[in-house]
Amino acid sequence: MTDYGSDTADDAADVLVLRKGTHGIPIERYADALRDRLPDRTIRLARTPSEEREAIRHAAFVTGMVLEDDLLEVAESLEVFACAYAGTGHLPLDRLEEREVAVTNASGVHGPNIGEHVVGAILWSTRRFHVATRRQRRREWRHYQAHELQGSTVTVVGMGAIGRAVCTRLEPFGVETIGVRYSPEKGGPTDEVIGFEEGPFHEALARTDYLVLACPLTETTRGLVDREALVTIDPNATIVNIARGPVIDTDALVDALRSNWIRSASLDVTDPEPLPEDHPLWNFGNVQITPHNAGHTPEYYDRLADIVAENARRFGADGSDGELKNRVRL
């Protein structure tokens, strides 16, 4: 059951769960998943703004999707914030660093579901299911030409947990893979690994059949797929973006689709986002748009709870935050 009692410094919960959920799944399921994994700890779910403000005052270990400035202001005892998202750019990281609060993320939670989403998007383009859907809608029995994935070259930008999961799921398809990462000397689960330097990246694009964007949005990756990249990439290529919308120059992408510089695009993220109703990207038959939905999985809270519960154990063992999983560098 949810603990709704008021906290003092002596009876503060071992883990405080903030009230915002994600993917339309009740946040109670996350709290329950933590309780299942930490039966000897007190897990408190704060369900109202006033509860949050009161409970966080004496909480050392807090987990949630967001941490607003006004809430951080009253978090007098905070030592660890376990972010329930893989990305942490929305958090007040500077203030957390000043407070010497350890921050962890949910890296690894999305590997299976987004990996499956990417493979599905690639096969959608390869077998041209969008053409079949249009003809079925018209009740038109007419053959069309398709493609074959085997023997293709897939370039995956980003070798984090999601990029690695994509590569693992592509292995049975008999494709050549190129990985793009900041530190290519670290290697990766691909046949070849390169960095973000323009020369090697454009050379890879020239022989790429499927470009998968699975990287964080940084100064390096913002606008990475620009007009030059879209002119350089193989004209029979498909682009799959499950990273962030601004990794692609949207105006250049529209021009590329209108001019047949690429075969197709599958976009789970867009720039702007949400995509306005009158945006031209909606009208291309060879563009698949999903509403930032690749991250949805019914297993989200269970996978997240595995990470956070383990960190709660490590933190509770000696009060140290030095060995936490998925710790974010501040």
Side-chain angles (χ1 to χ4, degrees):
M1 296 179 63
T2 302
D3 174 8
Y4 288 105
S6 62
D7 288 322
T8 66
D10 293 328
D11 65 4
D14 295 305
V15 178
L16 173 64
V17 181
L18 302 183
R19 62 195 169 92
K20 184 182 185 301
T22 190
H23 298 309
I25 307 173
I27 193 65
E28 284 82 359
R29 294 189 189 177
Y30 178 35
D32 288 342
L34 287 171
R35 292 189 183 100
D36 288 343
R37 290 156 178 78
L38 298 167
D40 57 338
R41 307 292 177 87
T42 303
I43 312 299
R44 177 171 184 187
L45 171 60
R47 287 300 283 115
T48 68
S50 60
E51 275 189 73
E52 281 187 335
R53 290 181 64 84
E54 182 61 31
I56 204 171
R57 190 176 303 278
H58 301 296
F61 192 108
V62 177
T63 181
M65 310 292 163
V66 298
L67 182 61
E68 304 292 351
D69 284 335
D70 61 338
L71 206 55
L72 178 58
E73 190 68 33
V74 297
E76 300 171 359
S77 303
L78 184 62
E79 295 184 52
V80 177
F81 182 72
C83 182
Y85 290 134
T88 56
H90 62 290
L91 298 177
L93 295 177
D94 290 343
R95 294 190 62 199
L96 288 165
E97 183 179 15
E98 290 174 4
R99 293 271 303 273
E100 297 184 346
V101 175
V103 177
T104 65
N105 65 20
S107 177
V109 169
H110 286 305
N113 48 293
I114 295 186
E116 292 171 5
H117 182 100
V118 169
V119 171
I122 288 175
L123 292 175
W124 164 84
S125 174
T126 302
R127 301 308 301 170
R128 300 186 72 201
F129 290 139
H130 52 295
V131 176
T133 298
R134 288 200 304 271
R135 295 188 181 184
Q136 179 180 350
R137 190 179 299 119
R138 297 195 295 257
R139 302 180 184 182
E140 180 181 356
W141 186 275
R142 183 160 61 93
H143 286 268
Y144 58 89
Q145 293 184 335
H147 306 277
E148 189 170 298
L149 180 55
Q150 180 172 278
S152 299
T153 297
V154 182
T155 296
V156 180
V157 181
M159 288 286 98
I162 292 174
R164 295 194 303 271
V166 169
C167 293
T168 298
R169 284 155 181 77
L170 286 172
E171 285 179 5
F173 290 94
V175 298
E176 292 292 319
T177 53
I178 302 172
V180 184
R181 65 184 308 174
Y182 288 102
S183 304
E185 66 276 4
K186 293 182 179 178
T190 52
D191 298 300
E192 180 182 345
V193 181
I194 63 172
F196 282 93
E197 295 81 8
E198 184 176 283
F201 181 61
H202 282 173
E203 289 173 9
L205 290 180
R207 50 195 172 98
T208 292
D209 300 296
Y210 298 91
L211 176 64
V212 178
L213 302 172
C215 52
L217 180 63
T218 66
E219 291 183 5
T220 300
T221 61
R222 183 179 294 274
L224 178 70
V225 182
D226 57 9
R227 183 173 301 275
E228 291 298 325
L230 289 163
V231 172
T232 302
I233 198 169
D234 188 290
N236 202 37
T238 290
I239 297 174
V240 180
N241 190 7
I242 49 84
R244 288 292 184 267
V247 174
I248 300 178
D249 180 329
T250 301
D251 291 340
L253 177 62
V254 170
D255 289 344
L257 291 161
R258 285 174 173 161
S259 303
N260 294 317
W261 296 347
I262 59 173
R263 182 207 300 171
S264 59
S266 177
L267 309 173
D268 188 56
V269 289
T270 59
D271 183 26
E273 186 175 309
L275 196 65
E277 292 182 10
D278 59 351
H279 200 282
L281 280 173
W282 288 113
N283 299 319
F284 290 101
N286 58 341
V287 174
Q288 179 188 59
I289 296 174
T290 50
H292 209 141
N293 207 63
H296 182 269
T297 168
E299 306 301 321
Y300 188 92
Y301 286 147
D302 282 321
R303 293 188 191 130
L304 174 62
D306 286 339
I307 297 169
V308 175
E310 177 58 27
N311 279 339
R313 292 188 197 98
R314 296 183 183 188
F315 177 73
D318 58 5
S320 171
D321 59 22
E323 301 296 330
L324 300 179
K325 293 178 62 176
N326 286 6
R327 183 159 182 176
V328 178
R329 295 180 181 177
L330 301 180

